Amino acid sequence: MHLAAHFPGVNATTVWADPRSRSQIDFSSFTHLARTAERGKFDFFFLAEGLRLREHNGRIHDLDVVGRPESLTVLNALAAVTERLGLAATVNATFNEPYELARRLATLDHLSAGRAAWNVVTSSDAFTGENFRRGGYLDRADRYTRAAEFVATARELWDSWTPGGESRPFAHEGEQFTISGEFTVPRSPQGHPVVIQAGDSGEGREFAASAADIIFTRHGTLEAGREFYADVKARLAAYGRQPDDLKIMPGVTVVTGDTDAEAQERAYEIRRQQVSPQNAILAAEQLWGTDLSAYDPDGPLPDIDPVLDSGLVKGRVLHGDPFGVVARWRAVAEAKGLSLRQTVIETTTRQSFIGSPRTVAAELTAFVDERAADGFILVPHLTPGGLDDFVDLVVPLLQESGAFRSEYSGSTLRSHLGLAEPVWKG
């Protein structure tokens, strides 16, 4: 089993009002979570990224992080206070250039002695693009085309140095990039930084099968996980790859208690904190695309149709067809007699493992044994202590059963993941 830690904050998982919640920018928050993950022998520490503050009805979205520092800068600092933990940065392939980003990632890999990873994300919205010279220029259909060539070009740059330490000129000419010169950073201690891709769409799955080492995904049930796992693994052969060349790691939450019943009570209270009455209205407005401030969060769902492309919400990605999602919400609300807020709580929960430490350990192991995942990226609800209980209570049980490592066997992120060093293609 592979495990990673996600620094919380850029999603609806975080409980901001909890008195134990700390700064999203103070370095001590990053060091606490990273050191906790390393103490638990996790594969890597994962930072999300946003290139613009999201907006809701003309204002900064209440659940966004104002003041989040740049990911690679934070990870370079964390490289000095950790020894084995992988360090994964989310960096956009739409609003960066291959030479500059490949250099920054190679630098992190050297400073960390081979622990760097790049989570490749894309963007096609003009709202985010307004921050950049080429704002809004990229058609949505082209975003994975650019990303695929971006990753291939970065790998050409990393391969322009031989394993023996000799620099050779590079030249790349393609539809997206035409560059030539000499790369300034020697070959990475692990060959190349590990490449992660986040996405569940058909395009995302194909991109991961062709170019990624890890796919960060989301699925809510064991059955859905098995279907996703089988589909993505089957795509690898077309690119000359083996099933173990790509690790499938869904993002999950974990809530533990002394008993299963106590854990369920804690999980319900956490969800109520995450989905306050105000946040329930915000979630509904994102889906309906219209101002719902006059609606009672403890009353029924709106009886109106969604408004497509209303511009009410900017910078947030809506997964699925709004009409289909509204229909599903209404079916759940009617079947269970739920209010608007209760429906949001019921339908927006990320895949969670809830129970005593032994129950959680058994369920995580079952997901891996039944080929629904190769591991998990844990998304805690608190910054920075949200993984303390998991590392102290669940990890020892996973180690005891042999499902998870007791010690690191290597020093690089590729060694943690069981990935071979890339063959030099200079």
Side-chain angles (χ1 to χ4, degrees):
M1 182 186 303
H2 299 285
L3 295 175
H6 186 294
F7 190 83
V10 293
N11 48 58
T13 304
T14 303
V15 177
W16 301 101
D18 192 295
R20 295 169 293 176
S21 182
R22 296 291 182 262
S23 171
Q24 294 283 325
I25 194 170
D26 193 289
F27 189 56
S28 64
S29 292
F30 295 99
T31 55
H32 181 107
L33 191 65
R35 284 172 168 167
T36 299
E38 188 165 69
R39 178 164 57 85
K41 313 304 178 186
F42 279 36
D43 293 67
F44 60 92
F45 175 83
F46 183 95
L47 286 181
E49 179 86 310
L51 294 179
R52 181 165 181 174
L53 296 175
R54 300 169 295 179
E55 292 184 7
H56 189 106
N57 204 12
R59 300 177 58 193
I60 293 175
H61 191 270
D62 281 356
L63 294 183
D64 214 341
V65 178
V66 179
R68 172 69 66 89
E70 192 272 328
S71 296
L72 279 167
T73 305
V74 173
L75 295 180
N76 278 309
L78 287 177
V81 297
T82 56
E83 296 180 355
R84 299 290 186 90
L85 184 70
L87 303 167
T90 300
V91 187
N92 197 295
T94 304
F95 300 113
N96 282 283
E97 296 297 325
Y99 184 91
E100 188 266 346
L101 181 54
R103 187 167 178 256
R104 292 164 63 202
L105 288 163
T107 299
L108 173 62
D109 217 16
H110 278 278
L111 292 179
S112 65
R115 296 185 280 136
W118 170 28
N119 178 39
V120 184
V121 294
T122 64
S123 178
S124 61
D125 66 287
F127 175 74
T128 299
E130 288 174 0
N131 282 344
F132 298 88
R133 177 173 59 86
R134 297 178 179 177
Y137 77 98
L138 187 66
D139 289 337
R140 182 174 180 84
D142 294 334
R143 60 184 186 140
Y144 278 116
T145 300
R146 178 182 170 91
E149 188 175 331
F150 197 122
V151 173
T153 306
R155 285 173 168 154
E156 290 175 24
L157 294 169
W158 295 328
D159 274 343
S160 67
W161 281 72
T162 70
E166 178 185 353
S167 173
R168 297 183 177 182
F170 67 84
H172 174 92
E173 184 172 351
E175 293 182 3
Q176 301 291 326
F177 311 105
T178 299
I179 58 175
S180 62
E182 290 200 14
F183 195 55
T184 61
V185 186
R187 186 170 172 83
S188 157
Q190 57 179 341
H192 296 167
V194 169
V195 172
I196 306 171
Q197 194 272 328
D200 291 326
S201 68
E203 289 176 312
R205 297 181 191 201
E206 201 66 27
F207 177 51
S210 68
D213 301 304
I214 300 169
I215 183 168
F216 176 26
T217 182
R218 44 186 280 164
H219 41 254
T221 65
L222 179 63
E223 180 181 359
R226 293 181 66 181
E227 291 175 357
F228 182 91
Y229 190 97
D231 176 72
V232 173
K233 295 283 186 175
R235 297 173 187 248
L236 291 165
Y239 301 98
R241 306 182 70 195
Q242 300 298 315
D244 285 344
D245 291 342
L246 176 66
K247 307 302 181 183
I248 296 176
M249 300 182 67
V252 301
T253 61
V254 173
V255 180
T256 61
D258 290 340
T259 65
D260 290 352
E262 180 182 312
Q264 290 290 347
E265 291 178 4
R266 288 186 63 190
Y268 178 73
E269 183 55 34
I270 289 169
R271 288 300 292 148
R272 284 184 56 83
Q273 291 177 299
Q274 291 167 333
V275 185
S276 65
Q278 178 188 10
N279 290 343
I281 293 295
L282 290 175
E285 287 181 338
Q286 180 187 358
L287 179 57
W288 264 270
T290 191
D291 187 339
L292 300 176
S293 57
Y295 283 79
D296 181 0
D298 294 318
L301 271 64
D303 57 359
I304 57 177
D305 289 334
V307 178
L308 299 180
D309 301 321
S310 67
L312 183 79
V313 178
K314 296 181 178 180
R316 288 181 62 88
V317 176
L318 180 62
H319 298 281
D321 168 46
F323 286 90
V325 177
V326 165
R328 180 168 61 87
W329 280 26
R330 286 175 174 157
V332 170
E334 182 177 353
K336 299 186 177 184
L338 303 180
S339 68
L340 171 58
R341 182 187 180 196
Q342 290 170 330
T343 302
V344 175
I345 292 173
E346 180 77 13
T347 58
T348 62
T349 303
R350 184 186 295 267
Q351 165 65 51
S352 295
F353 293 90
I354 303 169
S356 68
R358 194 162 298 278
T359 294
V360 169
E363 291 181 351
L364 291 170
T365 303
F367 259 67
V368 175
D369 288 346
E370 297 189 34
R371 298 180 182 273
D374 293 310
F376 309 92
I377 297 178
L378 276 69
V379 186
H381 69 280
L382 286 178
T383 304
L387 285 183
D388 292 358
D389 285 348
F390 182 87
V391 168
D392 292 336
L393 302 174
V394 179
V395 167
L397 297 175
L398 295 171
Q399 293 169 329
E400 182 182 287
S401 70
F404 187 62
R405 68 171 67 88
S406 294
E407 294 293 339
Y408 291 110
S409 58
S411 59
T412 69
L413 179 52
R414 287 187 180 275
S415 67
H416 304 341
L417 294 165
L419 296 171
E421 181 176 319
V423 176
W424 180 64
K425 298 179 182 179

